[in-house]
Amino acid sequence: MSMALIGAVLIGLSLGLLGSGGSILTVPILVYLAGEPEKLAVTESLAIVGLISLFSAVPYARRRAIDGRRVLLFGLPGMIGTALGTALSAHLSGAAQLTLFAAVMLLSATLMFRPPPARTASAGQSSASQPSAGQSPLMTAVQGLGVGILTGVVGVGGGFLIIPALVLLGGLPMSLAVGTSLVIITLNSATGFARHLSLPGTAEQLHWPLILTFSLIGVGGSLLGSRLNGRVPNVALRRGFAAFLVVMGSYVLATNAPRVLHPAPPQAAVLGP
């Protein structure tokens, strides 16, 4: 369990340092270090990610560094998508969910290997009030819906997709994108967790002490990461984290894809002589 708690610190640190990506560690840490079943880990991950994102968003709210209009355009469709993704996850095996999760990890690593978008607050102030010419409100809603579906199916917050969508496609300055992303992640995670709770037998299996412990440690790690932000070279940090995701994603894929491609046959009943 000590390794799992160290993992919880890493989740918070990466959220505080990078503004995204930390939630993608939660499910593997719960499964491989805390020993949680795959499907239960997805549900618990949504609660942990939602709580950490909620507390991490508070400093941004105090600085008024959250774009409320973008939260509505991106976040509300995201909540609908999360509900749809949760319904879909009920028809997938735990191995299938982890295989999809591994693909998401490798996608996240690919995006993180790229240099972060360079936008200053002053450069993007005019675009903060409305989407850029290349980004219609409808497309923003479609992106939110897609990220929400991903959240519901595999239990990730999707910040590694939300921030590029807000900055590169939506024209939002980075000074607003991180806080806005955290609010959207909170809304999506809360919706997914509530929907998973409604599935038969889920609420009774949840390990609430584990959820609260991970959340508290993650919040502390996030606050520490926010204080360290700017003291560590961001590009080197992102690429190091991306390399870690490649290793972990490859391991998750290698251990679960064979279970999806060659599922174990149902155990036959033993017949007497």
Side-chain angles (χ1 to χ4, degrees):
M1 180 57 74
S2 58
M3 289 299 295
L5 296 180
I6 293 173
V9 175
L10 292 177
I11 293 168
L13 275 174
S14 56
L15 275 171
L17 285 168
L18 300 172
S20 65
S23 64
I24 207 166
L25 299 176
T26 311
V27 170
I29 287 172
L30 289 173
V31 171
Y32 296 105
L33 297 183
E36 294 293 274
E38 296 100 332
K39 297 187 80 66
L40 195 61
V42 169
T43 305
E44 292 171 341
S45 170
L46 289 169
I48 294 166
V49 169
L51 286 170
I52 294 175
S53 299
L54 174 63
F55 282 94
S56 300
V58 170
Y60 293 92
R62 288 177 176 170
R63 297 197 302 268
R64 297 184 179 180
I66 294 172
D67 189 310
R69 185 172 185 270
R70 214 59 59 92
V71 168
L72 293 176
L73 286 175
F74 202 104
L76 292 182
M79 294 170 71
I80 296 172
T82 302
L84 294 174
T86 302
L88 175 61
S89 72
H91 303 284
L92 298 175
S93 67
Q97 284 178 281
L98 283 185
T99 299
L100 289 172
F101 193 92
V104 171
M105 293 183 78
L106 295 175
L107 172 62
S108 176
T110 301
L111 294 176
M112 283 192 168
F113 271 122
R114 300 176 180 177
R119 283 185 182 267
T120 62
S122 59
Q125 288 297 330
S126 62
S127 62
S129 59
Q130 65 180 32
S132 63
Q135 178 70 46
S136 68
L138 177 60
M139 284 305 301
T140 301
V142 170
Q143 292 161 6
L145 184 71
V147 171
I149 291 173
L150 185 67
T151 299
V153 171
V154 298
V156 297
F160 69 97
L161 293 175
I162 296 172
I163 289 181
L166 292 175
V167 174
L168 298 179
L169 302 178
L172 200 67
M174 279 297 293
S175 58
L176 295 177
V178 174
T180 303
S181 172
L182 287 169
V183 174
I184 293 169
I185 292 170
T186 301
L187 293 174
N188 286 354
S189 298
T191 302
F193 182 66
R195 292 290 297 171
H196 276 281
L197 276 183
S198 67
L199 299 176
T202 300
E204 294 79 10
Q205 299 180 56
L206 289 178
H207 296 151
W208 290 103
L210 181 67
I211 292 173
L212 293 176
T213 300
F214 263 63
S215 299
L216 289 173
I217 294 176
V219 168
S222 177
L223 295 175
L224 176 60
S226 298
R227 289 180 176 272
L228 294 175
N229 200 347
R231 302 180 185 180
V232 182
N234 191 267
V235 173
L237 185 66
R238 287 172 63 90
R239 289 179 176 171
F241 187 75
F244 177 71
L245 288 183
V246 169
V247 173
M248 182 175 284
S250 299
Y251 175 78
V252 175
L253 186 66
T255 54
N256 288 279
R259 296 167 57 196
V260 176
L261 297 174
H262 306 288
Q267 203 159 14
V270 179
L271 301 178

